[in-house]
Amino acid sequence: MKSSPGARSWIAAGVRHELLTRALPALRHDMAAPVSVVRMALLMLKRQVSAVTIDAAACEERVALIDNQVSELVHAIRSLRDWELATADDGITRSALVAQCVNLMRSAFDLHGVSLVTDDALEPGEDEPRWPSGAALRYLFLGALGYLHDGVAEAGAIRIDADGLDALCLRALPREPGATHAVLDAHRAPRALAIDAVALQNLAEDLGYTITVERDSVRLGLATGG
């Protein structure tokens, strides 16, 4: 039985949920780190104000640290809106898209023995064009990473290259001969939740993008429809 448009949208929503779940550990870390610093700074501040002689300069330093970390926490919480497809955004540059997603997934991939390698051409540049729908592109790029991570068991690295001016090419590279498998390499996503070609194509179609999926590579166009 052929699935209905509504069913395909639900499938795409499930893929996005899985991708967000994979990114959550890094997002939680970004929010938990400032809280830990604030708690330590408050403890030190409490000791300083209860001392017989109060060091005003030291207290001001602690207050400034707390203020800075609260700002970092607020920024991290507000960044959760970047994952909402219904929220209008200012778009995203190609280099920023790659940097954000690689930073989110690098630790998890490293634990599975898969390194992320980025082309030097994807360094931030002046007057770099911004592509609309940053949230959609973020989900699609993470989907491409997940597809290669889950589907290419022998991958030791995923290389991300610029493809022309408006696309990205992600390729799974085999492990170097003699390289040992990571301890957690067996703990990839359960097969039922793995990002396969069908899931990735469904996600791209639902978001309005065209991708080219091969066994060990994905080409992602940054413009809708292309």
Side-chain angles (χ1 to χ4, degrees):
M1 179 183 296
K2 188 176 181 180
S3 60
S4 67
R8 291 195 294 271
S9 293
W10 275 110
I11 293 171
V15 176
R16 294 199 305 273
H17 179 270
E18 170 63 18
L19 294 172
L20 179 57
T21 298
R22 297 184 187 196
L24 271 179
L27 296 174
R28 284 198 301 263
H29 177 269
D30 289 344
M31 288 184 280
V35 174
S36 298
V37 176
V38 168
R39 292 182 63 183
M40 182 60 68
L42 285 172
L43 178 61
M44 298 301 296
L45 183 61
K46 182 178 179 180
R47 292 178 178 175
Q48 288 164 349
V49 298
S50 62
V52 176
T53 303
I54 297 177
D55 187 338
C59 290
E60 290 179 3
E61 181 180 345
R62 298 298 178 189
V63 170
L65 176 61
I66 293 170
D67 182 67
N68 175 266
Q69 293 301 304
V70 169
S71 297
E72 291 290 332
L73 178 59
V74 170
H75 175 75
I77 293 173
R78 286 178 175 171
S79 71
L80 293 176
R81 294 181 300 182
D82 296 341
W83 297 87
E84 300 176 16
L85 293 177
T87 301
D89 57 51
D90 296 328
I92 193 168
T93 64
R94 182 167 63 175
S95 63
L97 171 68
V98 173
Q100 288 179 15
C101 293
V102 167
N103 287 338
L104 281 171
M105 304 309 299
R106 186 184 298 281
S107 294
F109 278 40
D110 282 346
L111 286 174
H112 293 163
V114 180
S115 60
L116 296 176
V117 183
T118 304
D119 181 8
D120 291 340
L122 293 171
E123 291 294 321
E126 294 183 4
D127 301 323
E128 191 177 352
R130 300 185 71 85
W131 300 94
S133 304
L137 287 172
R138 188 177 295 105
Y139 277 116
L140 197 52
F141 187 90
L142 290 176
L145 285 178
Y147 165 75
L148 295 174
H149 175 270
D150 294 351
V152 186
E154 70 275 14
I158 296 174
R159 181 173 176 83
I160 303 135
D161 291 294
D163 189 337
L165 299 176
D166 61 353
L168 291 163
C169 181
L170 294 81
R171 292 180 295 121
L173 306 177
R175 286 187 175 88
E176 294 293 333
T180 57
H181 290 231
V183 174
L184 298 181
D185 195 50
H187 300 289
R188 293 175 183 269
R191 186 170 298 277
L193 294 178
I195 307 298
D196 59 16
V198 174
L200 184 57
Q201 287 283 9
N202 195 292
L203 176 66
E205 291 174 8
D206 186 71
L207 295 174
Y209 291 85
T210 300
I211 60 172
T212 303
V213 180
E214 303 292 345
R215 177 188 173 276
D216 59 357
S217 69
V218 177
R219 184 188 185 276
L220 164 60
L222 302 179
T224 54

